[in-house]
Amino acid sequence: MITHEIVLPIVLPAVIAAVIALTMRRDIALARTASLASAVALLLLAIALVSLASDGSVRTYALGGWPAPFGIVLVLDRLSALMLLLTAVLAVAVLLYAVNGWDTRGRHFHALLQFQLMGLNGAFLTGDFFNLFVFFEVLLIASYGLMAHGGGARRVGAGVRYVVVNLAASVLFLFAVGLLYAVTGTLNMADLAVKVPDVAAADQALLRSGALLLLLVFAVKGALVPLHFWLPDTYANAPAPVAALFAVLTKVGAYAIIRLFTLAFGEGAGDAAWLAAPWLMPAAMLTLLLGMFGVLAARRLGAMVSFAVLGSMGTLLIAVALFTPPALSAALYYLLHSTLAAGALFLVADLVAERRAGHGDTLVAAPAFAQSGLVGALFLLGAIAMAGLPPMSGFIGKLLILDAARDAFNRNWIWSLMLSTSLLAIIGFARGGSSLFWKSASFPGGLDARQLTRPALTITAAGLLLAANAALVVFAGPVTRYLDATAAQLFAPAGYIDAVLGAEGGNE
């Protein structure tokens, strides 16, 4: 059965981006309509692909009809379908927020955003490490354009640092894939999984070096300590809707780590089995600790959310580093939660900054501003979610991770760190909320003189992400069952390998 819909999440935004750039760059209304229509279509398509993948089958699409491992192959399984859905939900919310004025502050916003979606979707679907590199570069180009949207010295400076770091990571990526290709003769993920166990002892050092270089590259993308330094400044200075979309960028690094080290360097990898585990766990712990201390020390709401994203990556990768099916299922739940919560909080930070003339999102008391009650409620829900308190999904996510770590040899360290850093997050967000809303309510001067009349879609966009976060709680049973099945599929890579290498040039 030919399933051309697998390639559509890449083709659709690529075509729409080109159409917008070539024919709609001077008509913002048309560009908005095309971009929103594309995002909604991607959301509907992602829902269909999740439904398709939920039967447990792994489906492939061989571009040009060339069989793997020689041709480019796209692979749809439970994990890739889940990441497509998460990206589409975030994209719709970001566009709802951006069309109320942010997209007019610079040029080519909608074309760049569509190219960004193309890169994200391609990274999640590709079954080949060289094409993963290509999609990473598409992401880098589009994300720099979005990062600099609207201009400003701080924004451009942060964007330059972001590009320099990621270009260095790209060079390392090429070295890594070169080493792996020299040892195994392939870059196809499934074929690599077949050949890694048979690598001769004399070539094990090269194999391990290539795999660890890839881990280093993915750690840069995921902002793991000590390679995290680009994230707080980049996210805090990015335009609000761009920062909200960037919430999923770090998850690309986490996705790549999960894919590589369960498929090619998992249990069946012989001497190279679970190669990443001893390196990933301590780095993830330090990332969590540093991120939550950053939340406590931040002086702006945007910076606070940026450090919370950093800390959430530490929590996520602690679960991944356990490399067990229950822990990976918990990690995927936390991945969904943290992406939605961070996206919502970045939008809330902008709602605050736009309403506090002369003060922005600085955590100081200022005259009360328009819609402070509604914005404060959104902040409260987002802060509760990010800190991991009930009734939002962060509480369930952390509980699942703690439960999955019960049998780990270092469980006392994991439990102590996660509980203590949750307290730091609570204190940090409570301090920020107190300055922005409670102290400002009694600050002399009354309501801010600037009464904003921005359309309700800005509030709706933030509310949509928080509603999606709450849906993870309401539908926790079905969601965790899907994630349990996803983790089980990842730890049984034979199905993936058979689907890719048995495709014989067809699309099934």
Side-chain angles (χ1 to χ4, degrees):
M1 176 183 174
I2 297 177
T3 50
H4 292 293
E5 59 267 30
I6 295 176
V7 76
L8 287 179
I10 301 172
V11 172
L12 178 61
V15 171
I16 295 298
V19 170
I20 291 174
L22 294 174
T23 66
M24 303 178 187
R25 62 183 182 273
R26 290 186 175 85
D27 191 330
I28 190 64
L30 273 179
R32 288 170 173 173
T33 302
S35 192
L36 270 170
S38 173
V40 172
L42 286 173
L43 177 58
L44 296 175
L45 179 61
I47 293 171
L49 291 176
V50 167
S51 177
L52 191 65
S54 63
D55 66 358
S57 299
V58 178
R59 292 170 173 83
T60 63
Y61 188 91
L63 295 178
W66 286 89
F70 308 107
I72 298 172
V73 62
L74 305 178
V75 186
L76 179 75
D77 63 356
R78 289 176 179 271
L79 178 60
S80 56
L82 180 72
M83 298 305 294
L84 292 176
L85 180 59
L86 177 63
T87 302
V89 170
L90 202 60
V92 170
V94 164
L95 278 169
L96 287 176
Y97 195 95
V99 296
N100 290 288
W102 261 111
D103 57 348
T104 62
R105 301 185 187 186
R107 302 183 64 186
H108 308 301
F109 175 87
H110 292 285
L112 288 169
L113 187 137
Q114 293 299 316
F115 278 125
Q116 181 90 328
L117 295 179
M118 171 197 168
L120 286 166
N121 293 342
F124 296 138
L125 285 170
T126 187
D128 180 280
F129 278 112
F130 185 78
N131 288 291
L132 181 62
F133 167 79
V134 171
F135 285 119
F136 274 7
E137 296 313 293
V138 173
L139 282 175
L140 177 61
I141 295 168
S143 59
Y144 177 68
L146 290 171
M147 172 69 201
H149 182 76
R154 291 181 62 182
R155 186 169 295 162
V156 172
V160 169
R161 288 189 291 274
Y162 166 74
V163 169
V164 169
V165 170
N166 279 273
L167 282 176
S170 296
V171 174
L172 290 178
F173 201 150
L174 288 176
F175 281 125
V177 296
L179 285 172
L180 290 178
Y181 188 81
V183 173
T184 64
T186 186
L187 293 177
N188 180 276
M189 296 180 186
D191 199 36
L192 188 67
V194 172
K195 293 184 176 179
V196 162
D198 298 327
V199 171
D203 292 328
Q204 282 290 326
L206 286 177
L207 178 70
R208 290 168 175 264
S209 298
L212 289 176
L213 270 180
L214 279 182
L215 177 62
L216 187 68
V217 171
F218 300 152
V220 172
K221 303 295 183 182
L224 269 179
V225 169
L227 306 168
H228 67 286
F229 51 87
W230 62 270
L231 187 147
D233 196 39
T234 299
Y235 281 34
N237 288 295
V242 173
L245 184 63
F246 279 11
V248 80
L249 278 189
T250 49
K251 308 310 185 294
V252 177
Y255 168 88
I257 290 171
I258 292 169
R259 182 66 78 189
L260 174 63
F261 291 100
T262 58
L263 179 61
F265 293 92
E267 187 175 3
D271 293 339
W274 309 123
L275 183 62
W279 303 91
L280 192 57
M281 181 61 79
M285 287 182 167
L286 287 174
T287 303
L288 171 57
L289 187 64
L290 183 64
M292 291 312 170
F293 269 115
V295 169
L296 194 62
R299 297 183 179 181
R300 292 174 48 219
L301 183 54
M304 179 179 289
V305 181
S306 299
F307 277 107
V309 170
L310 184 65
S312 72
M313 284 303 299
T315 303
L316 167 63
L317 290 172
I318 283 173
V320 172
L322 293 171
F323 286 111
T324 65
L328 187 53
S329 175
L332 294 176
Y333 187 95
Y334 192 83
L335 183 152
L336 296 174
H337 142 76
S338 59
T339 304
L340 296 170
L345 281 172
F346 277 122
L347 299 184
V348 170
D350 188 61
L351 290 173
V352 170
E354 289 288 304
R355 287 162 169 76
R356 299 201 334 153
H359 298 280
D361 65 343
T362 306
L363 301 179
V364 295
F369 54 87
Q371 298 177 310
S372 59
L374 180 57
V375 176
L378 294 174
F379 170 81
L380 177 62
L381 290 173
I384 287 173
M386 189 59 82
L389 293 175
M392 299 299 281
S393 59
F395 176 74
I396 296 178
K398 289 190 175 182
L399 197 62
L400 289 171
I401 294 174
L402 292 174
D403 183 62
R406 280 185 305 169
D407 298 326
F409 74 93
N410 53 354
R411 66 180 178 187
N412 292 337
W413 283 101
I414 294 173
W415 280 45
S416 300
L417 184 63
M418 287 188 61
L419 294 175
S420 60
T421 52
S422 293
L423 178 61
L424 292 179
I426 292 168
I427 295 172
F429 279 107
R431 178 179 66 88
S434 173
S435 298
L436 293 172
F437 301 102
W438 182 54
K439 291 180 181 178
S440 294
S442 57
F443 195 87
L447 285 177
D448 193 308
R450 183 176 58 173
Q451 297 296 316
L452 293 180
T453 58
R454 294 179 70 183
L457 281 180
T458 54
I459 298 290
T460 303
L464 174 64
L465 294 178
L466 290 172
N469 194 285
L472 291 176
V473 178
V474 176
F475 300 102
V479 170
T480 53
R481 283 194 293 272
Y482 182 93
L483 298 178
D484 287 343
T486 302
Q489 187 179 56
L490 289 167
F491 277 87
Y496 184 103
I497 294 168
D498 292 342
V500 173
L501 299 183
E504 298 296 335
N507 298 311
E508 56 177 328

